[in-house]
Amino acid sequence: MDTRCKNRFVATTKEKWDLNQYWYSANTIASLKKEVQEHATKVAFLSTPSVWFSLENSDIKNRSFFFDVPFPHFLISLLMICLWIRSSSCKNIVSEAAHWMSLQVDSQWEKHSNFVYWNYNQPSEVDRTMHHQFDCVVIDPPFVTREVWAKYSEAALLLLKEGGKIILSTIPENAEMLKHMLNVKRQAFQPSIPHLVYQYAFFTNYESANFSFPNPEVDS
Ligand SMILES: C[S@@+](CC[C@H](N)C(=O)[O-])C[C@H]1O[C@@H](n2cnc3c(N)ncnc32)[C@H](O)[C@@H]1O
């Protein structure tokens, strides 16, 4: 029997590798969705857009936000300047490129009222009205380094209410560092991230029944 489920976000959203976008598998998203829908009421999804898009509980979905960068704006600006400099001889190319880029930006997540433009390099640049408002954060950064995790930890602690739940994925080697930063513990369930070469683990700061057994999708 084929137990793989389908996911609309994964099927329709191309991963942008310049942003290190690696989506969880449909089954892993289903497990995360079950977990947050059982344990949370308002979630901050830090660099985990696939899970927000996949939520079925509309109350939780409407109250929650996904924090991400939809497109590398600085790259667009740089490209626009380069094209503008060369524009005297290639007017058509410039207008074609501008059109293509505006489509790229428009078609991204900015139109969603639950999207928050947030760059982990400025972790605390979050509207004050969002401080300590969430009872759960779900985190999957584009990098696994200490510097990057320090920034995600700062943002998570700013957004979470006291006693809020943390679910994150990263390499198992980060266990000790993340114990100190966010008091999280490795879980038995490992996420499947089909296009990522590393095998990640899930970590939480609470006992999770859903993540207490191995993921049949992942070879252990
Ligand atoms: C490894 S992927 C995690 C995606 C997650 N597994 C999912 O299925 O939703 C890294 C995420 O970080 C986001 N990202 C990349 N650069 C970022 C930045 N500077 N600030 C915030 N998020 C960023 C990407 O857009 C992507 O959603």
Side-chain angles (χ1 to χ4, degrees):
M1 190 177 66
D2 187 358
T3 54
R4 285 172 299 180
C5 63
K6 293 201 167 42
N7 180 282
R8 193 174 140 80
F9 176 91
V10 171
T12 58
T13 316
K14 204 168 164 348
E15 290 166 328
K16 292 195 176 76
W17 290 340
D18 49 344
L19 287 177
N20 277 354
Q21 288 180 338
Y22 296 100
W23 309 139
Y24 297 121
S25 71
N27 282 52
T28 293
I29 293 172
S31 302
L32 276 165
K33 187 170 67 177
K34 184 169 190 290
E35 181 70 3
V36 299
Q37 291 184 166
E38 281 177 18
H39 290 283
T41 62
K42 178 171 177 168
V43 187
F45 293 98
L46 299 185
S47 303
T48 48
S50 70
V51 193
W52 182 83
F53 276 96
S54 307
L55 290 177
E56 277 153 9
N57 180 318
S58 55
D59 289 339
I60 300 179
K61 190 169 187 174
N62 290 339
R63 277 193 294 262
S64 300
F65 291 87
F66 63 108
F67 298 66
D68 211 299
V69 287
F71 202 75
H73 290 269
F74 74 95
L75 283 182
I76 295 174
S77 311
L78 194 63
L79 194 55
M80 288 298 272
I81 291 165
C82 294
L83 288 167
W84 180 73
I85 290 167
R86 297 175 59 132
S87 65
S88 53
S89 56
C90 341
K91 281 238 156 38
N92 285 344
I93 298 175
V94 172
S95 79
E96 285 289 316
H99 178 64
W100 177 81
M101 287 187 288
S102 67
L103 281 181
Q104 293 295 308
V105 174
D106 284 345
S107 66
Q108 289 298 317
W109 304 319
E110 285 163 304
K111 64 178 185 287
H112 288 279
S113 50
N114 298 64
F115 169 72
V116 178
Y117 178 85
W118 174 79
N119 184 337
Y120 73 76
N121 286 305
Q122 287 88 42
S124 58
E125 283 192 15
V126 177
D127 200 282
R128 289 186 80 80
T129 57
M130 290 196 167
H131 293 187
H132 308 298
Q133 294 301 308
F134 297 85
D135 56 14
C136 181
V137 291
V138 180
I139 317 175
D140 187 10
F143 302 103
V144 299
T145 59
R146 172 179 289 276
E147 294 69 32
V148 172
W149 268 111
K151 292 175 181 171
Y152 275 84
S153 299
E154 185 181 334
L157 296 174
L158 188 66
L159 292 165
L160 275 179
K161 286 180 180 173
E162 206 183 323
K165 295 192 163 61
I166 301 172
I167 303 169
L168 61 87
S169 56
T170 187
I171 51 172
E173 291 80 358
N174 277 345
E176 200 54 37
M177 175 184 89
L178 286 164
K179 172 88 186 133
H180 286 114
M181 285 184 186
L182 290 170
N183 198 25
V184 290
K185 203 171 113 199
R186 185 177 174 181
Q187 302 297 300
F189 191 97
Q190 302 181 92
S192 163
I193 307 178
H195 298 141
L196 190 67
V197 288
Y198 308 110
Q199 179 54 61
Y200 274 13
F202 270 142
F203 293 77
T204 65
N205 65 341
Y206 62 96
E207 293 302 322
S208 162
N210 290 318
F211 294 151
S212 64
F213 58 89
N215 180 356
E217 252 192 317
V218 174
D219 295 332
S220 43

